[in-house]
Structure formats: C-alpha cells, structure tokens
Amino acid sequence: MSGSNPAVQQPFCTMDRDKITKYEEFLNETLKVDLKKLLDRRDGVYENIAHHLELRNTINTLQKAQVDKKPLKTKVDLGCNFYCSAKIDDPSRIFVRIGFGFYLEMTHTEALKFIAQRVEALERQAQLLGQNAVAVRAKIDMVLHALRELHGVSTPVDR
C-alpha cells in the first residue's frame, strides 16, 4: 500500500507545483505590474492637479498685484535654471495649455473657471484609478491566500 500511495500523491504534488508556479507568474507578471501602472498613472494625475493649482495661485497673485493694469516685469525660466527678464504689456490675459499641445488665450476669470473644471475632472480620474488599484490589491491578496493554501501555510482568520 505504501508503494501505491506515493504514486498517487506524486501527480497531485506536481499539479500543486504547476498551480503554484502559475499563480506566482500571474501575481508577479500581471497583477503587480498592473498595480504599478495604475499607481504611476494616478501619481501623474495628482502631479497634473498640483500644476493646475499652482497656476490658480499664480493667477490669484496676478489679480491682486495688477490692480492698476501696469505692465508686468518678471523673470522667465528658459530651462536648466537659466532665467531671462521679461516684460508683459497686458498681464490681464494669459495662455493656458488645454491639451494636445494647444494653448488658449484666456482672461484670468476664464482661466480660473477652466482650472476649476479641469481639477474636478482630474480628481474624478484619480479617484477611479485609486479604486482600480484597490481592486487589483484585492486580487493580489486573493492570489496570495491561494498560494498560502497550496503551500499549506496557515493564516490567521481575521487580521
């Protein structure tokens, strides 16, 4: 009997090893990669929100400083911390990047309205990406639980 028992268990163990390998590959090559992509996209959206909020603060500062509608003297960053002086004859209108490489000339009020709408849309996008990341994390937990079961490792019932 003992000779037939290992023969019956051997294919089962090989089947378990195959399952374990497939679960580990799915975990490492699919789920973790998907989670990283989602979190990177969400971080990019948050960075975009930060740029819009910075622009909003700059516009508010411009509005407070330009009560008398005088030309504005400033420094412009040309890149690599290389600045040059600039004079803006009419600071009441600005160019705002609206996407796909296009800029639109707007008044401060129009720009603030656009920024508010854009930030709201970006926040919804970030929330959706966060929810998707939570779903992927749940799948990762489920696969880890299955791997623990296949390895025969006991886990606490409640964390």
Side-chain angles (χ1 to χ4, degrees):
M1 273 191 151
S2 64
S4 65
N5 195 9
V8 171
Q9 290 181 349
Q10 184 60 29
F12 182 74
C13 292
T14 303
M15 207 165 65
D16 280 350
R17 282 190 213 126
D18 290 342
K19 282 184 182 179
I20 290 170
T21 303
K22 286 181 183 178
Y23 276 126
E24 287 174 346
E25 286 175 2
F26 179 66
L27 177 69
N28 293 321
E29 295 174 9
T30 304
L31 292 178
K32 287 186 178 180
V33 171
D34 289 349
L35 181 61
K36 181 171 179 8
K37 286 179 184 177
L38 284 169
L39 293 177
D40 288 346
R41 284 180 53 203
R42 186 192 65 186
D43 291 346
V45 170
Y46 282 137
E47 189 175 311
N48 202 349
I49 290 171
H51 288 294
H52 280 82
L53 295 178
E54 182 180 353
L55 178 59
R56 183 188 69 192
N57 292 339
T58 302
I59 292 170
N60 287 334
T61 303
L62 271 174
Q63 285 179 327
K64 290 175 186 172
Q66 292 300 319
V67 177
D68 53 2
K69 305 288 185 196
K70 288 184 181 176
L72 177 69
K73 293 181 182 178
T74 185
K75 299 267 186 196
V76 178
D77 186 0
L78 299 175
C80 299
N81 289 327
F82 184 74
Y83 291 88
C84 71
S85 296
K87 179 183 172 189
I88 303 169
D89 292 327
D90 182 14
S92 66
R93 300 186 68 77
I94 60 172
F95 285 91
V96 179
R97 185 175 61 201
I98 59 172
F100 299 109
F102 291 101
Y103 291 80
L104 185 63
E105 186 176 2
M106 299 180 186
T107 64
H108 294 167
T109 306
E110 293 169 337
L112 290 172
K113 184 177 176 183
F114 171 79
I115 291 167
Q117 292 171 346
R118 186 74 180 131
V119 166
E120 185 179 321
L122 288 169
E123 285 173 344
R124 283 193 309 267
Q125 184 180 4
Q127 183 180 13
L128 180 63
L129 289 168
Q131 290 170 349
N132 291 343
V134 168
V136 171
R137 281 189 187 121
K139 290 177 185 177
I140 288 172
D141 287 344
M142 189 170 51
V143 170
L144 288 173
H145 180 72
L147 284 170
R148 283 191 291 269
E149 280 185 11
L150 288 172
H151 282 294
V153 177
S154 62
T155 59
V157 176
D158 294 318
R159 290 184 192 185

